[in-house]
Amino acid sequence: MKSLLILGAGGFGHMIKETAQVLGYEEIVFLDDMVKEDDVIGMCCDYVIKHEDYPVAVAAFGNNKTRLFWTDKLLEEGYEVPAIVHPSAVVSPSVTLEPGCFIMQRSVVNTNTKIERAALVNSGAVVDHNSVVCAGAHVGLGSVVKANCTIESGRKVEAGEVIFSTRRKIEGVDSRSLEDAVYAFGFGPLCSYVKPFGEGHINETYAVYMPDQNGNDVPLYVLQRINVNVFKNPDQVMDNIFGVTEYLRNIIRQEGGDLDREALSYIKTKSGETYFEDDNGQPWRCLHYVANSICHQQVERPEQFYQSALSFGHFLKQLGDYPAESLYETIPQFHDTVKRLRDFKDAQRKDVKNRARKCKPEIEFVLSREDDCGVLMKQLEEGKLPLRVTHNDTKLNNILFDADTDEGLCIIDLDTIMPGLAANDFGDSIRFGASTAEEDEPDLDKVHFDINLYDIYTKGYLEMAKDVLTPAEIASLPWGARLMTLECGMRFLADYLQGDVYFKTAYPEHNLVRARTQFRLVKEMEEQFDQMNEILKKYI
């Protein structure tokens, strides 16, 4: 015979008796300190001696504190303490019901909600999705608890009351803007903590930690505040990113690749926007964290540079049929070397910090290569080189590598995705990766163009991209290396002349030092240009 012992023979206790009868309990008895009725078989303190005869029990007191107290006593004694759910209630299969909770007539408990021990959801109440009704709380008759709410332990929500979404304190969230962003993407109810992430210098980036299936806190998302000083039209940046990444997912699916690891996956806000704008007008965007991946800041082994070539070459190939003309030019004329030269000349003419006298050889280096600046732009204007979907910042540290195999996984930092020349992406990789020193190395004797690294990168890049590129594009690749390096150097030098207004600097001549390293690389590329072209032919 299915029996139930109920502690508390008052009005609520008899409601639970009626519900238990509907649920199939045949023998139902009470313990109560005041009520004297035929089915009251003792006082509440007799629960210990009644355990052998009645192994299943609940505490049905209307008072929250009393209900929780006696529920815990029953559990300590080893009773089976069931959740009591009236058959007319609507309870999602994903709801967690703890021992001794009660879901009464015609109440509704929606998806991913948790009803803790001894909590009561009374008749006609609604508890919406992703909420928590804590131990011993009472959601009153006909009340509404909206999504993502927490009803604290012991609290009573009065009949007909509406409880709106509440916010938890999340560790690592130290500003209202960051908190708003966390909640805008729906992470508030489950987020364990956030902390700064990555080594980028433009956008403010955080890893969002949440419990995994085993209850361990792991990074699941990356949250970024877009720097509007650099990207003045974040809506265009995000339109480009969503268009390209969603297209890439289809390509990766066709290739049989891993959708979760071979391309970045961005998510929209709860309101369906591609980014969230906080009260200060700052845009925030969010993407899935790519597990078990690493990012290299410098080329430590030639194999890494080869892997980066495969990655960027594959990226160009995957986007070979994407309509480049549909992309916004988020930084106008970003790699228009002719325009960059005009900007440099303007900075030299104004010389607002009176620094031109300190860098005459460097200025002459740029001016003597004026004809070179137009080589690729002229071919573009004449229709010899097509516009491609280009990354425009193809440094090694914009690739995620598999942490186990150290193979390239996917391309990151897609803010500068826009129409451009394949030679520019190729050239920027060479500029960054085929140097024997960092770009701010003051000792120029340490700065050299490594032709062997150029060879390695060219091999990998063409293995992936040569079937997509036109013969003219392939022939333009060595020029891309020269001109991207020259362009970067003149940008550093122009910023030095203007007073260091764009690039972050650590000391007064930092940008000048950077310019000198780039010009050293340009000079050595010029000296080995025939060899660079011969290497290219080797892999066609």
Side-chain angles (χ1 to χ4, degrees):
M1 179 181 293
K2 190 176 181 183
S3 62
L4 178 67
L5 176 66
I6 301 176
L7 275 65
F12 182 53
H14 281 280
M15 288 175 64
I16 297 306
K17 177 181 178 179
E18 291 178 356
T19 300
Q21 289 172 332
V22 176
L23 294 174
Y25 289 94
E26 299 170 84
E27 182 183 1
I28 302 171
V29 295
F30 292 94
L31 296 179
D32 194 283
D33 292 349
M34 295 180 62
V35 177
K36 303 296 183 183
E37 296 177 352
D38 291 342
D39 52 1
V40 177
I41 62 173
M43 298 178 67
C44 290
C45 62
D46 296 330
Y47 75 100
V48 175
I49 62 175
K50 297 298 183 182
H51 189 188
E52 184 175 349
D53 296 330
Y54 298 95
V56 181
V58 295
F61 298 96
N63 181 275
N64 290 347
K65 184 176 180 181
T66 305
R67 186 172 65 254
L68 179 58
F69 173 83
W70 283 110
T71 298
D72 286 343
K73 285 293 185 182
L74 293 172
L75 291 168
E76 289 171 8
E77 175 60 23
Y79 274 90
E80 178 186 341
V81 183
I84 301 295
V85 180
H86 195 279
S88 66
V90 179
V91 180
S92 166
S94 63
V95 168
T96 299
L97 299 175
E98 291 193 352
C101 70
F102 302 96
I103 313 296
M104 303 309 293
Q105 297 96 325
R106 299 188 181 278
S107 57
V108 177
V109 184
N110 276 332
T111 308
N112 292 327
T113 286
K114 183 178 183 181
I115 310 298
E116 294 187 349
R117 72 189 192 284
L120 166 58
V121 180
N122 220 326
S123 303
V126 176
V127 182
D128 207 356
H129 66 85
N130 296 98
S131 290
V132 178
V133 181
C134 295
H138 177 185
V139 180
L141 296 163
S143 59
V144 176
V145 176
K146 302 196 78 174
N148 301 309
C149 287
T150 298
I151 307 303
E152 296 82 2
S153 181
R155 178 181 175 184
K156 182 179 180 181
V157 177
E158 297 296 338
E161 186 177 359
V162 178
I163 303 299
F164 292 89
S165 179
T166 52
R167 288 189 174 184
R168 305 161 45 244
K169 175 63 179 175
I170 300 172
E171 191 174 359
V173 176
D174 55 6
S175 71
R176 181 55 188 261
S177 293
L178 177 55
E179 179 183 286
D180 288 345
V182 168
Y183 276 90
F185 287 98
F187 303 143
L190 295 177
C191 178
S192 301
Y193 60 93
V194 303
K195 70 177 185 179
F197 176 72
E199 299 187 36
H201 300 299
I202 295 178
N203 299 316
E204 183 180 317
T205 307
Y206 298 88
V208 179
Y209 285 74
M210 302 177 75
D212 63 9
Q213 294 178 343
N214 300 317
N216 300 314
D217 290 335
V218 296
L220 293 183
Y221 300 95
V222 176
L223 192 62
Q224 288 184 316
R225 182 177 63 82
I226 304 172
N227 188 335
V228 293
N229 293 320
V230 177
F231 303 104
K232 302 185 185 302
N233 297 296
D235 55 331
Q236 296 181 0
V237 171
M238 295 312 299
D239 280 352
N240 283 357
I241 286 175
F242 268 90
V244 166
T245 54
E246 289 174 0
Y247 180 88
L248 280 174
R249 285 181 67 84
N250 288 328
I251 298 297
I252 293 167
R253 185 180 291 110
Q254 293 169 17
E255 295 174 344
D258 188 336
L259 293 175
D260 294 328
R261 289 168 61 76
E262 294 182 22
L264 297 182
S265 298
Y266 285 78
I267 64 174
K268 294 182 178 180
T269 67
K270 291 173 65 178
S271 60
E273 305 296 332
T274 57
Y275 66 96
F276 163 72
E277 187 172 296
D278 64 27
D279 289 342
N280 299 315
Q282 300 297 307
W284 295 78
R285 51 129 179 265
C286 186
L287 63 153
H288 287 272
Y289 177 83
V290 180
N292 200 39
S293 63
I294 56 175
C295 189
H296 298 297
Q297 297 302 314
Q298 295 290 334
V299 176
E300 299 166 356
R301 296 179 291 105
E303 175 63 21
Q304 291 172 346
F305 202 38
Y306 175 69
Q307 287 294 324
S308 75
L310 294 176
S311 296
F312 281 119
H314 190 213
F315 185 74
L316 181 133
K317 181 178 181 179
Q318 288 175 314
L319 295 170
D321 292 328
Y322 192 94
E325 67 279 1
S326 69
L327 295 174
Y328 291 103
E329 195 174 5
T330 52
I331 303 179
Q333 298 178 289
F334 186 56
H335 280 321
D336 183 338
T337 313
V338 175
K339 189 257 185 190
R340 293 292 188 183
L341 178 63
R342 289 198 302 269
D343 293 343
F344 170 79
K345 287 181 176 179
D346 187 58
Q348 178 209 4
R349 177 180 59 80
K350 293 177 180 176
D351 193 19
V352 294
K353 295 297 181 180
N354 196 29
R355 288 177 168 181
R357 57 190 173 83
K358 299 180 181 179
C359 52
K360 291 181 179 179
E362 290 77 19
I363 292 172
E364 178 56 32
F365 186 93
V366 173
L367 296 178
S368 65
R369 287 159 176 78
E370 180 168 358
D371 290 344
D372 289 353
C373 292
V375 168
L376 294 182
M377 295 308 299
K378 183 179 180 182
Q379 292 183 60
L380 175 63
E381 292 167 1
E382 293 174 348
K384 296 178 180 178
L385 295 178
L387 283 176
R388 297 277 184 186
V389 179
T390 49
H391 184 277
N392 294 294
D393 192 14
T394 51
K395 298 190 293 290
L396 180 72
N397 57 8
N398 282 331
I399 301 173
L400 289 183
F401 289 78
D402 187 284
D404 296 327
T405 66
D406 212 25
E407 294 180 353
L409 274 180
C410 73
I411 306 300
I412 63 173
D413 197 3
L414 306 179
D415 292 322
T416 51
I417 284 281
M418 50 187 164
L421 299 178
N424 291 342
D425 270 6
F426 176 88
D428 205 28
S429 288
I430 298 300
R431 178 196 73 80
F432 178 82
S435 172
T436 59
E438 296 188 19
E439 66 182 15
D440 59 356
E441 171 58 57
D443 184 357
L444 290 181
D445 289 338
K446 297 179 179 179
V447 181
H448 298 288
F449 168 58
D450 190 329
I451 193 70
N452 292 320
L453 286 176
Y454 169 85
D455 188 314
I456 289 170
Y457 191 90
T458 302
K459 178 179 184 294
Y461 189 80
L462 289 179
E463 280 179 12
M464 285 294 176
K466 68 178 180 181
D467 293 336
V468 178
L469 298 172
T470 67
E473 285 180 292
I474 293 174
S476 74
L477 297 181
W479 268 109
R482 276 176 62 171
L483 291 181
M484 286 301 95
T485 311
L486 177 62
E487 179 185 295
C488 187
M490 76 169 76
R491 289 178 63 197
F492 285 140
L493 188 55
D495 200 35
Y496 174 72
L497 294 171
Q498 292 169 322
D500 309 314
V501 296
Y502 186 84
F503 297 104
K504 291 182 180 179
T505 56
Y507 52 91
E509 294 192 342
H510 199 170
N511 272 323
L512 179 57
V513 168
R514 289 165 168 160
R516 286 169 175 163
T517 64
Q518 300 307 296
F519 296 157
R520 168 59 64 91
L521 295 174
V522 170
K523 186 174 184 300
E524 293 194 358
M525 287 179 190
E526 292 170 346
E527 293 169 351
Q528 301 177 74
F529 199 60
D530 289 343
Q531 190 176 352
M532 291 170 67
N533 279 297
E534 289 302 315
I535 289 170
L536 186 73
K537 294 175 183 177
K538 183 170 63 173
Y539 297 116
I540 297 175

